[in-house]
Amino acid sequence: MTVADALVDLRSDTVTRPTAGMREAMATADVGDDVYGEDPTVNALEAEVAALFGHEAALFAPSGSMANQIALQLLVSPGNELLCDADAHVVTYEIGAAAAYGGISSRTWPAVGADIDPETVAGMIRPDGYFAVPTRAIAVEQTHNRGGGGVIPLATLRELRRVADDAEVALHCDGARIWHAHVADAVPLIEYGQLFDTLSVCLSKGLGAPVGSLVVGSAEKIERARMIRKRMGGGMRQAGILAAAGRYALAHHVDRLAEDHARAARLAEAVAPFGVLAAPVRTNLVPLDLTKHALDARALAAAAREERVLVSVLGPRTARLVTHLDLDDAGVTRAAAVLGRLLAA
């Protein structure tokens, strides 16, 4: 197959395949029954991730959505309230799980991606009493998916921590792509970790593992999280095969995220002249706003697919390009040429 014929998949960083080294790590993993707490590779992964974020413990879960929902149930009891932004993954892409599984009421501030105003959040918090639903937790997303991979500044997160402490509510981080924020802003993971009561962190997006996320928190919370995971059907047996992929990813695929950021910047430069770049590109996501363009999102995606370039459609006039482990410089060059030609037409 020639370079011109190769498929360039820009839909998501979840489309990656395990590398040869990762497959070898999976094939040789030491395993046991994780429901009994006896899988040594899972235990090692959980201890490693907990230490990276400066917490006491972590729990391996099959997906980021499950990790988020476990964390939210740890922080918000049924009939109480979660605050987050209107485009947050926990209320946009998790199929109403907070309400369906946790009995959690949610209220949102207007979608502003990573540009959160802590005082706006503070003004939304409802205390106990007055027959109102009391706020128990605030959730933020780092980096922000529908916010174009935006990175919430460390100063903003510190101020949100102050807001949460003043109101005596918890703070959760949906950190599916927090590794990207760590690389983009050079903020140590432990510095992020100390700001949150719970975090969920994903191994199967930018890090390239096939499966898995972790809930991070105190030992007491993670002990409760094990029961919630089992209740939600997330107990796994010889999961060390999957955990080994995660450990390999942590060892080999974090620093290289800078390459994905550079390739995303190249794609942004290619589409910027056509007035469709929705936000500055900081990490591996390139958001497209086609409101003023002749092509809508589905038309652009269909035309690009004809030339073996795959684009994610997020809405009638919004699309997204994502760089990742399986995308090289040649793929970026070809995608940039295809998209530039389609947008210029």
Side-chain angles (χ1 to χ4, degrees), residues 11-171:
R11 291 174 299 171
S12 177
D13 44 11
T14 61
V15 302
T16 59
R17 295 153 297 181
T19 64
M22 184 179 286
R23 290 176 186 270
E24 176 66 18
M26 296 171 72
T28 59
D30 190 8
V31 300
D33 191 322
D34 182 50
V35 173
Y36 287 112
E38 296 174 355
D39 190 301
T41 308
V42 172
N43 293 343
L45 173 66
E46 291 171 344
E48 180 180 1
V49 171
L52 284 173
F53 289 93
H55 279 262
E56 292 178 329
L59 180 72
F60 189 46
S63 72
S65 291
M66 183 178 285
N68 272 330
Q69 294 305 318
I70 290 170
L72 296 184
Q73 290 178 57
L74 291 172
L75 302 177
V76 186
S77 56
N80 290 279
E81 181 180 78
L82 170 76
L83 295 181
C84 61
D85 81 269
D87 271 347
H89 194 282
V90 295
V91 293
T92 303
Y93 292 121
E94 299 184 11
I95 321 297
Y101 289 112
I104 296 170
S105 178
S106 56
R107 196 155 47 94
T108 61
W109 60 83
V112 290
D115 298 323
I116 301 169
D117 177 13
E119 291 309 312
T120 296
V121 178
M124 294 180 65
I125 295 173
R126 288 174 174 160
D128 286 302
Y130 309 104
F131 301 101
V133 179
T135 305
R136 299 302 185 206
I138 301 163
V140 296
E141 190 173 327
Q142 181 75 309
T143 62
H144 200 292
N145 178 16
R146 289 185 65 87
V151 181
I152 305 171
L154 186 61
T156 300
L157 295 175
R158 286 173 173 159
E159 188 61 15
L160 285 169
R161 178 73 267 175
R162 182 195 64 77
V163 166
D165 287 343
D166 287 350
E168 299 183 342
V169 301
L171 187 61

Side-chain angles (χ1 to χ4, degrees), residues 232-244:
M232 294 178 73
M236 298 179 286
R237 300 299 179 175
Q238 286 70 37
I241 294 171
L242 301 175

Side-chain angles (χ1 to χ4, degrees), residues 51 195 258:
L195 295 172

Side-chain angles (χ1 to χ4, degrees), residues 113-325:
D115 298 323
I116 301 169
D117 177 13
E119 291 309 312
T120 296
V121 178
M124 294 180 65
I125 295 173
R126 288 174 174 160
D128 286 302
Y130 309 104
F131 301 101
V133 179
T135 305
R136 299 302 185 206
I138 301 163
V140 296
E141 190 173 327
Q142 181 75 309
T143 62
H144 200 292
N145 178 16
R146 289 185 65 87
V151 181
I152 305 171
L154 186 61
T156 300
L157 295 175
R158 286 173 173 159
E159 188 61 15
L160 285 169
R161 178 73 267 175
R162 182 195 64 77
V163 166
D165 287 343
D166 287 350
E168 299 183 342
V169 301
L171 187 61
H172 170 67
C173 179
D174 174 359
R177 295 185 175 92
I178 199 168
W179 320 102
H180 287 279
H182 161 63
V183 170
D185 278 4
V187 175
L189 294 171
I190 197 167
E191 196 159 353
Y192 282 135
Q194 68 187 7
L195 295 172
F196 297 100
D197 297 280
T198 56
L199 303 94
S200 66
V201 298
C202 186
L203 304 171
S204 63
K205 291 187 170 69
L207 297 193
V211 174
S213 290
L214 293 100
V215 185
V216 183
S218 67
E220 180 273 332
K221 284 184 173 65
I222 298 306
E223 188 61 32
R224 288 194 288 132
R226 291 187 184 279
M227 183 64 71
I228 298 171
R229 183 185 68 176
K230 190 71 169 69
R231 183 180 297 129
M232 294 178 73
M236 298 179 286
R237 300 299 179 175
Q238 286 70 37
I241 294 171
L242 301 175
R247 297 202 74 197
Y248 184 92
L250 289 173
H252 298 277
H253 294 165
V254 175
D255 291 343
R256 65 149 305 280
L257 293 174
E259 300 173 24
D260 294 343
H261 299 176
R263 288 172 179 138
R266 285 183 56 201
L267 288 172
E269 290 173 5
V271 302
F274 306 102
V276 298
L277 191 61
V281 171
R282 291 288 323 281
T283 55
N284 70 319
L285 306 185
V286 182
L288 304 182
D289 180 357
L290 297 160
T291 302
K292 297 180 180 180
H293 198 275
L295 291 173
D296 63 18
R298 290 192 182 279
L300 176 64
R305 181 181 283 270
E306 288 294 316
E307 302 199 43
R308 295 184 60 76
V309 173
L310 305 184
V311 173
S312 181
V313 175
L314 299 185
R317 288 279 173 178
T318 56
R320 185 187 70 175
L321 317 175
V322 187
T323 57
H324 49 74
L325 182 65

